[in-house]
Amino acid sequence: MPKRYEGMAYWEIVSRQMSILTKSQQQKLKDATITVIGCGGIGGSAIEMLARMGIGNLRIVDKDSFDVSNINRQVMSSFCSVGKSKIRVTEKTLRSINPFINIKSFEVELDETNVEKIMKGSDLVIDALDNLLSRIIVSRYAFKMNIPFIHGAIHGTMGQITVFNNNTPKYEELFKLPSFKKELNEEIIENLEKLSSEVPPVLGSVPNIVGCIQASEALKIITGKGESILAPKVLNFDLMRADPFSMVEF
């Protein structure tokens, strides 16, 4: 695409939401840096929606490759992607959707040795993780670095979303985890691994709903428009119910 058309094309991509956002609010999205940890079911959906909303800078983190069992829910996956790096497939897909995004990829397992490097400079971080230990590490560093942490989780036909910042209860505190106010030693890690050892069942639409809502929460935080789902409030849903959505306070 000729350089002179690039700026015009970006604004054409986001034109349908410009009756909802002001140009200055959209510019905030264009200037923002968001880290999404996980490129699977929740993460793939959140990442794709952020790209379509016009986020300017994305950091994506995942160490895994796609397999056939991912196809029921992970929008970045297909039979063509089986065995391929989630990071590389996601990068390619994002560039085909919105070539104006700056993408920084981390094909690593997140842990305490690299989390600060990954998150440094982010305006917010989206939790698309599938285990408690990684969530705890991210939530602790998000609090330490004063970065909003958008949590999402799924089980079966159910999902939950909430937002943590330095003015809300902490993730471990809200969900009464055994690690709260404790060092992540071998005993605590073993207990956390027991709590998240199950491979949860999942209806394919559930993580995608969670990811889309997380992307919308990110938009609200970056632009200042609307009201965020701040902890201790948690948005819960169960797609098997006729009235699937409810807001609860822990």
Side-chain angles (χ1 to χ4, degrees):
M1 181 182 295
K3 287 285 184 184
R4 65 181 180 274
Y5 295 129
E6 286 186 358
M8 294 168 58
Y10 171 85
W11 292 99
E12 184 65 22
I13 290 171
V14 301
S15 61
R16 290 292 292 273
Q17 67 192 39
M18 292 307 294
S19 60
I20 300 168
L21 301 178
T22 66
K23 189 167 184 177
S24 64
Q25 288 170 335
Q26 185 65 48
Q27 187 66 48
K28 288 179 180 179
L29 292 177
K30 195 171 187 291
D31 294 339
T33 298
I34 294 178
T35 298
V36 182
I37 304 177
C39 296
I42 295 174
S45 179
I47 288 165
E48 180 171 334
M49 287 302 103
L50 290 169
R52 294 183 187 278
M53 288 175 177
I55 293 298
N57 305 280
L58 274 175
R59 296 180 181 186
I60 56 175
V61 186
D62 206 303
K63 68 176 179 62
D64 292 331
S65 301
F66 287 113
D67 61 48
V68 175
S69 70
N70 298 150
I71 293 173
N72 89 308
R73 66 197 180 281
Q74 299 189 15
V75 293
M76 297 290 169
S77 69
S78 66
F79 273 100
C80 295
S81 67
V82 171
K84 295 181 181 179
S85 157
K86 290 186 178 183
I87 282 285
R88 302 306 159 205
V89 171
T90 300
E91 281 181 339
K92 185 176 180 181
T93 303
L94 287 177
R95 295 191 196 285
S96 72
I97 293 169
N98 181 351
F100 311 113
I101 296 179
N102 296 312
I103 305 167
K104 188 168 184 178
S105 299
F106 298 86
E107 197 167 9
V108 298
E109 182 171 5
L110 181 141
D111 58 30
E112 289 185 285
T113 68
N114 58 27
V115 62
E116 191 164 1
K117 176 184 176 182
I118 289 169
M119 290 169 54
K120 187 176 181 181
S122 299
D123 293 294
L124 57 85
V125 60
I126 290 179
D127 159 26
L129 289 156
D130 60 1
N131 69 88
L132 284 174
L133 178 59
S134 296
R135 278 197 181 105
I136 288 165
I137 291 170
V138 173
S139 70
R140 288 185 178 188
Y141 274 84
F143 182 83
K144 176 182 175 182
M145 300 167 75
N146 196 22
I147 299 172
F149 171 65
I150 305 178
H151 163 67
I154 59 169
H155 191 282
T157 62
M158 299 178 291
Q160 67 180 30
I161 305 98
T162 191
V163 177
F164 297 93
N165 61 34
N166 282 30
N167 297 314
T168 70
K170 296 180 181 178
Y171 168 72
E172 295 164 86
E173 177 185 9
L174 186 71
F175 294 115
K176 298 179 173 60
L177 297 179
S179 56
F180 181 51
K181 291 187 176 181
K182 294 180 182 177
E183 180 186 350
L184 294 177
N185 57 33
E186 288 185 11
E187 181 182 354
I188 292 294
I189 291 172
E190 185 178 344
N191 288 337
L192 293 171
E193 287 174 346
K194 287 177 182 177
L195 289 173
S196 59
S197 61
E198 175 196 8
V199 177
V202 57
L203 187 68
S205 54
V206 172
N208 291 286
I209 292 170
V210 171
C212 285
I213 294 173
Q214 286 180 306
S216 297
E217 288 301 300
L219 180 146
K220 289 191 283 185
I221 292 168
I222 296 297
T223 64
K225 185 178 180 68
E227 298 178 20
S228 296
I229 307 166
L230 291 176
K233 291 182 178 178
V234 179
L235 178 63
N236 285 343
F237 67 85
D238 184 345
L239 295 186
M240 291 297 103
R241 294 174 56 90
D243 54 343
F245 290 93
S246 61
M247 190 76 74
V248 299
E249 187 162 331
F250 277 60

